[in-house]
Amino acid sequence: MDTRDSLDRSSAEGPHPMPASDGYLPYNPNGDSAGPDNLQQTQPNASGNESSGAVDAVLQSDIGINTLLTRLKQSVASAREFAAFLKKRSTLEEEHAQGLKKICKSSHESSRRPDNRQGSYAQHYNEVIGIHDRLADNGVQFALSIHQMHEDLHDLAVNIERGRKQWKQTGLSAEKRVQDSEALMERAKAKYDSLADDYDRARTGDKQSGRVFGLKGPKSAAQHEEDLNRKMQAADADYASKVQTARSQRQELISTQRPQAVKAILDLINECDAGLTLQLQKFASFNEKLLLGNGLCVSPLKGQNNDQSPRSLRDVVFQIDNTHDLNSYISSFSPRAGQRPADIRYQPHPSTGPTQQAPPTDGRSHIEPNTQATTPSGNFHPAPFPDNAPVPSTAQNQRSETDHFPVQNPAGQSYEGSPHQQTFPGSGVAAAPPQLPQPQLSSPLYSQPQKPPTPVNPDHTHPDLPPLRPVFGVSLEELLHRDGSAIPLVVYQCLQAVELFGLDFEGIYRLSGSAMHISKLRAIFDHDPSQVDFRNPESFFHDVNSVAGLLKQFFRELPDPLFTHHHFQNFIEAAHIDDDVTRRDSIHAIVNSLPDPNYATLRALTLHLYRVQEHSSANRMNSGNLAICFGPTLMGTGSNIADAGWQVRVIETILHNTYQIFDDD
């Protein structure tokens, strides 16, 4: 009984740390197995560190493995969080760097165009672009570095999480087996205690329990005592075996399994924390390197030989010499200036005597021999006609450039013609129907505007003519570089024909023309547009609707719409504005940002459509109807069909505010 009582006491008191002689050693930070040498090395560290005792107490307890697993989970979560931050940062840096390189490339190409400044400005501007290109290279390198850090840290977190799950299963399974064996031991002890109490009462003669009945009838006291003794001995043996099993499993857990799990989990925690700290240090280093590299690009350090060291951004900008660039540009045209013309003076013929200068005696007005009036530029112009003289027909043809656009008279004064008619000085009669300004192309058609081109008979043309100078499907930028005119010739001719013959035509731009006529006219323009003259209605089969359809087909087939894909969404967003003034100003700002050929063509078309809607009482085409016809044609078809209504609103707003949007031109 003494042996059993001592065993009961040891079981009831629960697990306690066992001495080193029993095989358990204190926690070793290095993770080595228990041994005398390691014990001697760890004892000074434990005495020197106040917190080591508390750490060992937790790690040696039943909650040690769970505590470490929770801490390891936090380390993995932190590593993943920083890896996600690195990924987002690398994406932002990559987008910024690539965008900067794209801007540098486009700016470098634009600076080499002849319509931009040259000289010192172009040279130093390219150096500025080069500095930004090096900044972009630094950004790309930084983005690649932190992206690699993200991948390394993500792989580390995945491996650590895999090890955490493995040791969680191993460590907690060992703890569970010990807990289960101790629970079985407790149940065996309770059964043994109950039988021992019953046997003690039967042996001492306690009769309080009354008579005992068995399966075969009532038992005597001796039989009942013998039966209880036999059961108690069986329970004692079972209890002793359960205690031995629980003790051996706990001893194995404390001496082997728990230290191994603790060591493995600590190694994982240290590895994860060390990897995260290393990546943080690399991140700080890469940021310093990026900022230092960008700083050296913008403002390099001055070496011993300042001439060979790269210049700073500030020095490059301050080297631009505006005065020298202007003088160089003007002096480059000196070969074209030629010699200064001689003084203009009257030289009479030697055969005429001085008496020829006397006034006539017949009383008629004397006409000077020189009937040509000169202008300050040295070019000769016909003398003014008398008030009662008829106006020559050529004056009406040459007036088309003053109908709707500001022009300069020989004296240098500016005036603007009426949108409807113009009266020439001295004529007293109204001019011909309004015409669009004549575009100045490099072709012979525009070098001699007084001589109209020979019209082509469209009946003798074939729609399969070879496209010698294609117009349809060619971008406005390419037409500008090829023909030298901001307004394409096909647009000019079509607008001219509609204004001459179609302003009062009902349903203009709404009714469809003949497909065969449109095909023939397109072939003529693609073959040789210089031979087209729509001032003669025979050139377009007397079918003004076909001319309107040809114009809309040209705009539909542009590779980039007149309003451009780049500004499409900006126009749609501006159309959503309810306030009329704010919407007009927003659309005005976007129109001003269009490329030059797009802006010039849109201006000519808008002024034309404004004159068309002024005749809406006859042609039934107000600004709303014209906007419906030209909305998708000029803006292109977006991805959302619901934008069609907003496209119409954009065109209608421009037509309502034509002279507010294009007033400054």
Side-chain angles (χ1 to χ4, degrees):
M1 292 297 295
D2 295 338
T3 304
R4 295 194 185 99
D5 293 339
S6 63
L7 184 59
D8 294 342
R9 287 194 299 270
S10 63
S11 301
E13 291 174 357
H16 294 280
M18 295 186 178
S21 59
D22 291 338
Y24 179 80
L25 292 176
Y27 162 67
N28 185 358
N30 297 325
D32 299 333
S33 302
D37 296 336
N38 295 330
L39 177 60
Q40 294 176 1
Q41 294 175 0
T42 57
Q43 286 176 351
N45 294 332
S47 62
N49 192 350
E50 297 178 356
S51 63
S52 62
V55 172
D56 291 341
V58 174
L59 296 181
Q60 295 168 9
S61 64
D62 295 339
I63 64 172
I65 294 180
N66 279 325
T67 303
L68 292 177
L69 288 174
T70 303
R71 176 62 175 77
L72 180 58
K73 189 175 182 180
Q74 294 176 353
S75 298
V76 173
S78 299
R80 287 178 172 173
E81 177 66 25
F82 186 58
F85 168 79
L86 291 177
K87 183 178 181 180
K88 294 178 182 178
R89 177 69 185 279
S90 65
T91 302
L92 292 176
E93 293 292 341
E94 177 72 17
E95 293 176 354
H96 175 266
Q98 294 298 338
L100 186 57
K101 290 185 73 68
K102 184 177 180 181
I103 293 175
C104 292
K105 181 179 179 181
S106 61
S107 300
H108 181 68
E109 293 176 353
S110 299
S111 65
R112 291 158 49 179
R113 295 178 181 175
D115 54 350
N116 286 338
R117 283 182 56 184
Q118 303 300 322
S120 65
Y121 170 81
Q123 177 185 356
H124 295 94
Y125 180 72
N126 286 330
E127 290 189 35
V128 172
I129 298 302
I131 293 175
H132 282 77
D133 192 55
R134 292 196 295 272
L135 294 177
D137 292 337
N138 293 340
V140 171
Q141 186 63 34
F142 177 72
L144 294 176
S145 300
I146 61 177
H147 182 73
Q148 183 63 40
M149 290 169 53
H150 151 71
E151 293 181 350
D152 295 342
L153 196 55
H154 180 267
D155 294 341
L156 175 64
V158 171
N159 295 333
I160 296 298
E161 179 64 21
R162 188 183 299 112
R164 188 188 74 85
K165 292 180 179 180
Q166 176 183 354
W167 283 105
K168 178 181 179 182
Q169 178 69 23
T170 302
L172 295 183
S173 297
E175 297 280 353
K176 186 67 169 55
R177 286 195 299 270
V178 173
Q179 293 175 2
D180 292 342
S181 63
E182 290 180 353
L184 292 176
M185 181 190 69
E186 292 296 333
R187 287 197 295 270
K189 180 179 180 300
K191 182 179 180 181
Y192 167 71
D193 290 341
S194 176
L195 291 175
D197 291 340
D198 292 341
Y199 175 72
D200 186 59
R201 284 195 297 271
R203 188 180 59 179
T204 57
D206 186 4
K207 305 299 184 182
Q208 295 179 359
S209 59
R211 299 181 64 184
V212 179
F213 293 91
L215 295 176
K216 298 180 180 181
K219 294 182 180 179
S220 62
Q223 292 176 344
H224 181 60
E225 181 181 353
E226 183 180 359
D227 190 19
L228 288 175
N229 187 22
R230 186 175 62 255
K231 291 182 179 179
M232 184 190 66
Q233 291 178 357
D236 179 39
D238 182 61
Y239 173 52
S241 64
K242 292 292 192 299
V243 170
Q244 185 63 29
T245 302
R247 178 182 293 175
S248 62
Q249 289 183 355
R250 174 164 286 278
Q251 183 68 21
E252 182 181 3
L253 173 66
I254 294 175
S255 62
T256 305
Q257 295 177 347
R258 182 179 291 171
Q260 290 179 353
V262 168
K263 175 182 179 299
I265 297 175
L266 283 174
D267 289 343
L268 292 176
I269 293 175
N270 293 331
E271 181 181 358
C272 185
D273 293 347
L276 178 58
T277 303
L278 176 62
Q279 298 300 335
L280 284 170
Q281 294 173 355
K282 291 172 62 178
F283 181 70
S285 176
F286 287 150
N287 274 277
E288 293 176 357
K289 183 178 179 181
L290 174 65
L291 295 178
L292 181 60
N294 290 342
L296 291 177
C297 289
V298 175
S299 181
L301 296 177
K302 298 296 183 181
Q304 295 180 354
N305 190 355
N306 295 331
D307 296 337
Q308 297 180 358
S309 61
R311 294 182 294 179
S312 66
L313 181 61
R314 180 184 180 89
D315 294 338
V316 171
V317 172
F318 274 86
Q319 290 296 323
I320 298 176
D321 190 347
N322 294 327
T323 304
H324 180 268
D325 290 348
L326 178 60
N327 294 334
S328 298
Y329 175 78
I330 296 175
S331 61
S332 64
F333 289 88
S334 58
R336 304 183 186 180
Q339 298 180 356
R340 184 176 179 180
D343 293 338
I344 301 176
R345 58 183 179 178
Y346 171 72
Q347 296 180 356
H349 195 271
S351 61
T352 61
T355 58
Q356 297 295 331
Q357 301 298 327
T361 59
D362 56 1
R364 291 179 295 181
S365 61
H366 175 66
I367 300 177
E368 295 292 334
N370 184 10
T371 59
Q372 299 290 335
T374 61
T375 64
S377 61
N379 297 325
F380 289 92
H381 295 278
F385 288 93
D387 293 340
N388 58 354
V391 180
S393 60
T394 57
Q396 297 181 1
N397 295 334
Q398 296 176 357
R399 183 198 54 83
S400 60
E401 294 187 8
T402 65
D403 283 339
H404 312 292
F405 298 92
V407 298
Q408 296 288 335
N409 60 13
Q413 298 178 351
S414 170
Y415 66 92
E416 183 171 353
S418 170
H420 303 288
Q421 66 181 10
Q422 176 85 21
T423 303
F424 280 83
S427 64
V429 295
Q435 300 180 10
L436 292 177
Q438 186 82 2
Q440 299 298 324
L441 297 182
S442 58
S443 62
L445 172 64
Y446 298 102
S447 60
Q448 299 177 357
Q450 293 82 2
K451 182 180 179 180
T454 303
V456 177
N457 188 358
D459 294 331
H460 297 118
T461 60
H462 194 274
D464 295 330
L465 287 173
L468 301 180
R469 294 172 60 88
V471 174
F472 287 79
V474 181
S475 65
L476 297 177
E477 188 76 20
E478 185 176 349
L479 291 175
L480 171 62
H481 289 305
R482 188 189 72 185
D483 299 335
S485 173
I487 303 176
L489 181 60
V490 61
V491 176
Y492 166 73
Q493 291 285 358
C494 291
L495 299 185
Q496 178 180 241
V498 172
E499 292 200 2
L500 289 175
F501 307 105
L503 287 180
D504 294 328
F505 196 88
E506 183 175 354
I508 189 66
Y509 290 117
R510 178 173 55 83
L511 299 178
S512 302
S514 171
M516 180 181 66
H517 292 171
I518 295 175
S519 178
K520 289 183 177 181
L521 294 176
R522 171 176 176 165
I524 295 174
F525 275 102
D526 281 338
H527 179 71
D528 188 3
S530 63
Q531 299 300 320
V532 180
D533 184 11
F534 277 179
R535 291 176 296 182
N536 182 6
E538 295 180 358
S539 300
F540 52 86
F541 312 98
H542 297 274
D543 185 4
V544 73
N545 282 331
S546 296
V547 175
L550 182 70
L551 178 64
K552 292 193 292 183
Q553 186 179 38
F554 170 78
F555 286 120
R556 280 196 302 268
E557 295 186 6
L558 286 176
D560 193 23
L562 184 63
F563 282 67
T564 72
H565 291 302
H566 177 71
H567 295 87
F568 177 83
Q569 193 60 36
N570 296 334
F571 280 111
I572 297 300
E573 293 175 357
H576 282 75
I577 301 175
D578 294 330
D579 184 69
D580 294 339
V581 177
T582 305
R583 182 173 66 255
R584 178 201 67 191
D585 294 341
S586 300
I587 294 178
H588 189 184
I590 304 173
V591 168
N592 287 341
S593 65
L594 291 174
D596 291 343
N598 298 63
Y599 179 86
T601 305
L602 176 61
R603 180 182 184 276
L605 178 63
T606 303
L607 294 174
H608 165 73
L609 295 179
Y610 184 83
R611 289 188 287 274
V612 172
Q613 63 94 22
E614 285 183 334
H615 293 253
S616 60
S617 59
N619 57 37
R620 307 299 181 187
M621 294 298 292
N622 55 24
S623 59
N625 295 335
L626 292 173
I628 294 174
C629 294
F630 280 92
T633 300
L634 301 181
M635 297 188 65
T637 56
S639 59
N640 190 359
I641 194 173
D643 293 338
W646 302 114
Q647 295 176 356
V648 173
R649 193 174 190 182
V650 171
I651 304 300
E652 191 171 6
T653 301
I654 295 177
L655 291 179
H656 284 167
N657 302 275
T658 298
Y659 290 103
Q660 285 80 11
I661 293 178
F662 298 105
D663 182 56
D664 293 336
D665 295 314

